[in-house]
């Protein structure tokens, strides 16, 4: 029997010629904010699903892959992380992972659309349990403008947990933004940014990102990769830019991290940075 397509959400891309579908039970919410359209669905097998402007943002079932890999590799790569800035990240899953690290003293999250956070508190409450941590500061503003106004050398780690490089997020993928990040980072600072699919976006996003980060003045740029079923191709990446050439990994700390993760550990840290030949 053919499926009833009225009960499926599908994200289809004419650019890549692929699509991804989830069987839905009902639409829980839909609204147009000043910045974007946000839809929330209940699905049959992936829990709740957030969609922004027709693109899947996260699901209950697999968001831990993204949030863990956007936070723990970069934190355990920094010699003494204390102050973190998250650009985007309105669902607060990355914020929650960052705050699992007791050494972190302050996390400032800047997302332009407050409704993403408020809807996450309603439909993904398990991701928002750290929102009232005294170390967390939630701002709803333009991340690019915030970075331009931030003090030089004031941040240890910048995490760019953004949507795709279109619309409000487009400027987050360009060299002027990386130059501001470099200025704001302290001497051992690291920037990490989600960099889309290695299979679909190597030439269009990942390679230009490496070039733009290096041109902005970062000494070392590395990409890691991980599975992500709800994103195009099911394979995702994050790219780290280091202010200094030296690349560290506090492996013993990662082995004895003292908190639970479902995907990330010290062995996975090593594996994630091993690139297939076509990516080198």
């Amino acid at each position: 029997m053919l499926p009833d397509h009225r009960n499926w959400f599908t994200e289809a891309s004419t650019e890549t010629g692929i699509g991804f579908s989830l069987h839905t039970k009902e639409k829980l919410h839909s609204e147009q904010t000043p910045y974007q359209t946000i839809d929330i669905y209940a699905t049959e097998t992936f829990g709740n699903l957030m969609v922004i402007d027709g693109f899947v943002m996260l699901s209950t079932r697999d968001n831990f892959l993204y949030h863990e890999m956007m936070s723990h590799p970069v934190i355990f790569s920094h010699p003494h992380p204390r102050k973190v800035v998250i650009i985007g990240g309105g669902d607060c899953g990355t914020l929650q992972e960052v705050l699992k690290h007791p050494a972190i003293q302050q996390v400032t999250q800047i997302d332009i659309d407050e409704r993403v956070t408020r809807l996450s508190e309603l439909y993904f409450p398990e991701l928002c349990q750290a929102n009232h941590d005294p170390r967390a500061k939630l701002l709803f503003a333009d991340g690019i403008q915030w970075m331009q106004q931030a003090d030089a050398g004031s941040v240890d780690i910048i995490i760019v947990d953004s949507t795709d490089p279109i619309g409000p997020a487009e400027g987050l993928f360009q060299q002027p933004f990386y130059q501001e990040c470099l200025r704001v980072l302290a001497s051992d600072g690291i920037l990490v940014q989600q960099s889309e699919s290695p299979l679909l976006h190597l030439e269009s996003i990942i390679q230009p990102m490496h070039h733009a980060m290096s041109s902005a003045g970062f000494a070392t740029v590395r990409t890691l990769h991980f599975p992500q079923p709800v994103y195009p191709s099911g394979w995702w990446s994050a790219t780290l830019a280091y202010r200094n050439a030296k690349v560290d990994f506090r492996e013993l700390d990662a082995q004895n991290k003292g908190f639970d993760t479902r995907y990330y550990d010290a062995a996975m840290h090593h594996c994630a940075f091993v690139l297939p030949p076509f990516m080198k």
Side-chain angles (χ1 to χ4, degrees):
M1 179 183 294
L2 292 175
D4 183 351
H5 293 288
R6 293 173 298 179
N7 296 326
W8 289 74
F9 169 82
T10 298
E11 178 186 325
S13 169
T14 55
E15 177 187 359
T16 60
I18 64 174
F20 175 77
S21 296
L22 281 172
H23 194 199
T24 62
K25 293 190 288 188
E26 62 177 317
K27 179 179 277 191
L28 300 173
H29 186 85
S30 182
E31 72 174 88
Q32 175 68 54
T33 78
Y35 305 100
Q36 53 207 353
T37 301
I38 307 175
D39 296 309
I40 311 287
Y41 296 86
T43 75
E44 292 285 354
T45 57
F46 271 66
N48 286 348
L49 174 73
M50 178 181 286
V51 176
I52 294 181
D53 289 339
F55 297 98
V56 172
M57 290 297 109
L58 77 153
S59 82
T60 303
R61 184 171 185 175
D62 75 341
N63 74 80
F64 69 95
L65 296 162
Y66 178 91
H67 291 135
E68 290 182 14
M69 295 305 285
M70 283 294 293
S71 54
H72 305 309
V74 68
I75 291 175
F76 282 120
S77 295
H78 194 286
H80 43 77
R82 294 181 178 88
K83 294 185 178 180
V84 177
V85 167
I86 301 172
I87 303 295
D91 58 62
C92 299
T94 298
L95 173 71
Q96 181 165 269
E97 294 299 320
V98 170
L99 287 170
K100 289 180 178 179
H101 294 257
I104 299 298
Q105 298 174 355
Q106 177 183 315
V107 185
T108 303
Q109 178 172 287
I110 307 103
D111 193 294
I112 198 169
D113 195 343
E114 183 175 359
R115 292 302 297 157
V116 175
T117 297
R118 301 311 171 205
L119 290 172
S120 295
E121 290 172 341
L122 287 173
Y123 296 106
F124 301 89
E126 69 278 7
L127 301 183
C128 300
Q129 296 176 12
N131 286 18
H132 299 292
D133 188 300
R135 297 171 293 164
K137 183 178 183 180
L138 303 183
L139 301 178
F140 302 104
D142 186 306
I144 295 175
Q145 292 181 2
W146 187 93
M147 196 64 64
Q148 291 170 344
Q149 297 167 4
D151 293 337
S154 60
V155 174
D156 298 312
I157 292 172
I158 298 171
I159 300 174
V160 184
D161 180 359
S162 69
T163 55
D164 297 336
I166 55 176
E170 185 175 2
L172 299 174
F173 289 75
Q174 297 176 4
Q175 183 175 329
F177 175 70
Y178 300 141
Q179 290 172 328
E180 290 293 344
C181 290
L182 184 72
R183 181 186 63 82
V184 172
L185 285 168
S187 58
D188 292 319
I190 309 173
L191 163 69
V192 63
Q193 182 168 16
Q194 74 88 6
S195 46
E196 308 281 310
S197 167
L199 190 63
L200 302 178
H201 306 116
L202 179 63
E203 295 182 357
S204 61
I205 293 176
I206 297 174
Q207 290 177 348
M209 181 179 290
H210 273 246
H211 176 74
M213 288 175 168
S214 297
S215 298
F218 284 95
T220 304
V221 181
R222 304 175 73 203
T223 292
L224 61 80
H225 56 102
F226 53 93
Q228 194 67 56
V230 300
Y231 288 171
S233 81
W235 186 19
W236 218 241
S237 72
T239 296
L240 287 76
Y242 302 74
R243 208 178 197 285
N244 291 329
K246 186 179 179 181
V247 175
D248 289 318
F249 173 36
R250 293 185 288 110
E251 185 167 8
L252 186 60
D253 289 344
Q255 291 172 347
N256 300 283
K257 59 187 188 306
F259 54 82
D260 292 332
T261 50
R262 297 173 63 190
Y263 185 80
Y264 177 86
D265 62 12
M268 194 57 68
H269 184 110
H270 285 293
C271 293
F273 284 102
V274 177
L275 302 181
F278 82 92
M279 289 186 67
K280 295 180 181 177

